[in-house]
Amino acid sequence: MRINCPVCGERDRREFYYKGAAVALERPAPDAGEAAWDEYVHLRENPAGETRELWYHESGCNGWLVVTRNTVSHEISGVELASEARS
Amino acid sequence: MRFSGLKVLKEGLTGNKGWKPHWRDPEPKSEYDIVIIGGGGHGLSTAYYLAAEHGLKNIAVLEKGYIGGGNVGRNTTIVRANYFLPGNSEFYSHSLKLWEGLEEELNYNVMHSQRGLINLFHSDGQRDAFARRGNAMINQGDDAILLDREGVRKHLPYLDFDNVRFPVFGGLLHPRGGTARHDAVAWGYARGADQRGVDLIQNCEVTGIDIDNGKVRGVQTSRGAIRAKKVAIVVAGRSGQVAAMAGMRLPIESHVLQAFVSEGLKPVIDHVVSFGMGHFYISQSDKGGLVFGGDLDMYASYAARGNLPLVEHVMEAGMTLMPMIGKAKVLRSWGGIMDMTPDGSPIIDKTDTEGLYLDCGWCYGGFKAVPGSGNCLAHLIATDRPHPAAAKLRLDRFRSGVGLMDEEGTGAQHNLH
Ligand SMILES: Cc1cc2nc3c(=O)[nH]c(=O)nc-3n(C[C@H](O)[C@H](O)[C@H](O)COP(=O)(O)OP(=O)(O)OC[C@H]3O[C@@H](n4cnc5c(N)ncnc54)[C@H](O)[C@@H]3O)c2cc1C
Ligand SMILES: [Zn+2]
């Protein structure tokens, strides 16, 4: 797998740390309640197919990326900076 | 048909023409009392114990592919009871005891071999942690022996003891740990369930779960609708998708785990050896192949095959620990889909839907759990009360934060196990 970092260009998967589903960008309010926090921390859609996830370019620009990737074919169809994906 | 030495001898002398298929290939009926989704190790053992221990009759196992085609036939076959935390500890202890009587119970040779498992350690801190784990195992009633460096040398003279990064300080020996023939476990339970009247229905994919007024009514499948009073989801890596058919989201992310086997060699590795610091473990099959693996690829995947960086990592770790295997040729590598929970521990529980049960979250360690999981899930389905050995494997521990079982102590979050 190779990931095309918007800052550094196409790099080997080994340069990146995988965090997981991009729900991590939607942190609930501290008082949102048990169910909201359970959703955020634990429950996952876990699709067989296209998914949006967070990767960290650890051995590169140190940027957090939102990667759109297929969990069956491992094909990557989109990469953007998390800061931009969020706004 | 019962297996015996005499029967094997007789068949051997008469051209092996008298063997019969081990189970029927029935058409699905329109209704069952209990439907088990998933014909892996756990689904088959659940059906077996429902029939054998609870005397229940009208049961079907629905398998989308063929019996034994999932993780139950893709794992590295390690069977052990060396867990530390309450919950896991009593559950795996229960499972290992069932393993020890399994061949007689099933009249089937599952080649369970208690050859001993050694977990290596490489620092004083790790020694303390393993001493503590060994005491927890002994308190649970299982066996553990703390070996010093010379003790390990007696068992595993071929290791590189003086590796600069990971010198071998000692190991925790679990003498009752070992391996079994994975396919045979699936086949043995399948045959046992079939003999007791369970319908094993292959090529039957569940595509929907029918729920009415908060109560399960049956399932939709590629071979038509099947009504059922009780339904259990026992689909390992596919748990997220099948649970979604019942409107549930699970604390599960599916990852790929790879494994490798070498050409057949003369006996050289007598135990199961685990090198945790290098993410590497190995044993030798009875055919002579070195069976080994390492860590997850560490990204969500349903591909049942991994990427090359991990292949390289596993080979490097193996060479670091036991340079003698360097000339062995790797025959095959493959991957399986792992149902990873945030704390790395499993779930056997009811769901919010009446009559719908869930057995999942086996991560990379569910082969050893096959007897225990089936035994405990059958108990839950038959009596609607958890089996004492599995009472802590609850689904709601994630929401409440109470009773999380994070064996590694890294935090109960996805991607840390
Ligand atoms: C490489 C590797 C090494 C491993 N090593 C070990 C080890 O050494 N020790 C250990 O204890 N564990 C090990 N494991 C883990 C162990 O194999 C699994 O935890 C365990 O097999 C999972 O339970 P199962 O046998 O029921 O799963 P499976 O055999 O995967 O059964 C699930 C079944 O459900 C079926 N299914 C899925 N969706 C549907 C549907 N919609 N309708 C009908 N059927 C469906 C699938 O086809 C499959 O047959 C390893 C796993 C892998 C991949
Ligand atoms: Zn970068």
Side-chain angles (χ1 to χ4, degrees):
Chain A
M1 235 153 48
R2 293 173 72 78
I3 297 178
N4 195 357
C5 173
V7 179
C8 312
E10 193 178 281
R11 297 294 182 85
D12 187 293
R13 173 256 180 279
R14 272 171 285 199
E15 292 190 4
F16 300 83
Y17 169 78
Y18 169 81
K19 168 72 183 163
V23 291
L25 291 175
E26 292 140 35
R27 192 183 172 86
D31 57 358
E34 207 175 77
W37 278 93
D38 188 33
E39 283 273 320
Y40 172 72
V41 180
H42 305 123
L43 305 186
R44 293 291 177 264
E45 204 168 307
N46 196 21
E50 196 159 275
T51 180
R52 284 175 83 240
E53 47 196 26
L54 278 175
W55 291 73
Y56 174 59
H57 200 177
E58 193 172 26
S59 311
C61 62
N62 278 11
W64 280 97
L65 311 177
V66 174
V67 176
T68 306
R69 192 176 63 90
N70 188 304
T71 56
V72 178
S73 65
H74 296 163
E75 188 192 348
I76 293 172
S77 54
V79 186
E80 52 185 336
L81 286 171
S83 53
E84 283 166 14
R86 210 176 182 178
S87 53
Chain B
M1 178 179 66
R2 267 192 79 76
F3 290 109
S4 66
L6 198 65
K7 171 94 175 147
V8 171
L9 195 67
K10 182 173 160 247
E11 288 299 331
L13 294 173
T14 55
N16 283 307
K17 293 201 182 83
W19 301 115
K20 296 198 181 62
H22 286 191
W23 53 85
R24 298 163 295 131
D25 187 17
E27 284 299 312
K29 291 194 275 183
S30 61
E31 182 163 8
Y32 291 93
D33 290 340
I34 303 171
V35 158
I36 311 286
I37 311 175
H42 293 234
L44 294 167
S45 63
T46 303
Y48 173 81
Y49 289 113
L50 278 169
E53 283 202 348
H54 301 279
L56 298 173
K57 290 269 173 283
N58 194 16
I59 305 166
V61 176
L62 309 183
E63 165 54 48
K64 77 169 176 184
Y66 61 95
I67 296 295
N71 289 335
V72 71
R74 290 172 167 261
N75 63 79
T76 45
T77 78
I78 298 168
V79 173
R80 58 188 165 92
N82 60 350
Y83 284 73
F84 178 67
L85 293 177
N88 283 333
S89 195
E90 64 264 30
F91 173 76
Y92 288 104
S93 183
H94 176 62
S95 196
L96 183 56
K97 290 190 195 98
L98 292 171
W99 274 106
E100 288 171 338
L102 194 58
E103 298 179 334
E104 271 178 63
E105 163 100 30
L106 297 176
N107 175 236
Y108 208 88
N109 183 7
V110 301
M111 297 165 75
H112 184 212
S113 155
Q114 296 183 293
R115 54 185 67 182
L117 170 129
I118 299 177
N119 282 86
L120 298 168
F121 55 80
H122 314 271
S123 68
D124 292 334
Q126 248 198 316
R127 177 192 291 117
D128 291 349
F130 273 119
R132 193 167 170 230
R133 176 175 295 264
N135 287 335
M137 290 159 64
I138 290 166
N139 281 340
Q140 180 58 46
D142 296 315
D143 60 342
I145 301 168
L146 196 68
L147 300 174
D148 62 9
R149 185 180 160 93
E150 290 317 305
V152 172
R153 203 189 294 275
K154 274 197 205 117
H155 290 284
L156 316 174
Y158 47 78
L159 298 185
D160 179 4
F161 281 80
D162 298 312
N163 182 278
V164 182
R165 180 68 182 83
F166 295 117
V168 175
F169 273 41
L172 186 64
L173 169 65
H174 172 34
R176 285 164 65 225
T179 59
R181 168 88 198 274
H182 50 14
D183 300 318
V185 174
W187 300 335
Y189 273 116
R191 170 173 167 271
D194 175 83
Q195 282 173 344
R196 285 163 182 78
V198 173
D199 281 357
L200 306 177
I201 312 211
Q202 306 183 64
N203 298 311
C204 182
E205 178 170 2
V206 171
T207 53
I209 297 179
D210 298 332
I211 297 169
D212 179 23
N213 255 328
K215 196 172 174 341
V216 79
R217 299 288 176 194
V219 294
Q220 299 292 325
T221 80
S222 55
R223 296 175 68 174
I226 299 176
R227 286 192 302 281
K229 297 190 184 77
K230 294 183 172 182
V231 174
I233 302 174
V234 196
V235 293
R238 295 280 171 179
S239 296
Q241 278 144 16
V242 177
M245 297 172 195
M248 296 170 72
R249 277 227 265 177
L250 297 181
I252 286 193
E253 194 171 80
S254 294
H255 280 249
V256 55
L257 179 70
Q258 302 193 58
F260 309 85
V261 66
S262 78
E263 60 189 329
L265 301 168
K266 288 193 172 163
V268 56
I269 294 178
D270 301 327
H271 310 74
V272 180
V273 183
S274 167
F275 172 35
M277 291 310 287
H279 300 148
F280 175 83
Y281 65 94
I282 188 165
S283 67
Q284 186 168 16
S285 79
D286 291 352
K287 273 197 291 187
L290 304 177
V291 180
F292 57 99
D295 216 338
L296 298 173
D297 271 37
M298 286 294 176
Y299 47 82
S301 174
Y302 284 90
R305 62 180 159 72
N307 264 294
L308 290 173
L310 206 100
V311 177
E312 194 173 69
H313 178 90
V314 169
M315 303 299 158
E316 283 170 1
M319 287 301 288
T320 302
L321 183 68
M322 41 180 82
M324 70 160 182
I325 64 173
K327 290 212 169 80
K329 293 190 179 70
V330 174
L331 276 192
R332 284 193 304 279
S333 72
W334 65 94
I337 310 168
M338 312 279 79
D339 36 339
M340 301 300 300
T341 54
D343 65 355
S345 292
I347 298 163
I348 300 180
D349 209 345
K350 300 182 198 176
T351 67
D352 290 340
T353 301
E354 199 187 324
L356 183 65
Y357 303 83
L358 186 64
D359 177 303
C360 64
W362 296 100
C363 301
Y364 30 73
F367 176 66
K368 69 177 104 59
V370 165
S373 164
N375 190 259
C376 293
L377 178 60
H379 185 278
L380 181 68
I381 294 173
T383 66
D384 262 324
R385 282 194 313 276
H387 189 287
K392 295 201 174 80
L393 309 184
R394 295 170 62 117
L395 174 59
D396 69 1
R397 69 179 185 269
F398 298 101
R399 189 171 59 214
S400 67
V402 178
L404 290 165
M405 290 171 285
D406 171 13
E407 288 277 333
E408 293 168 0
T410 48
Q413 276 185 40
H414 287 293
N415 196 34
L416 296 181
H417 292 275

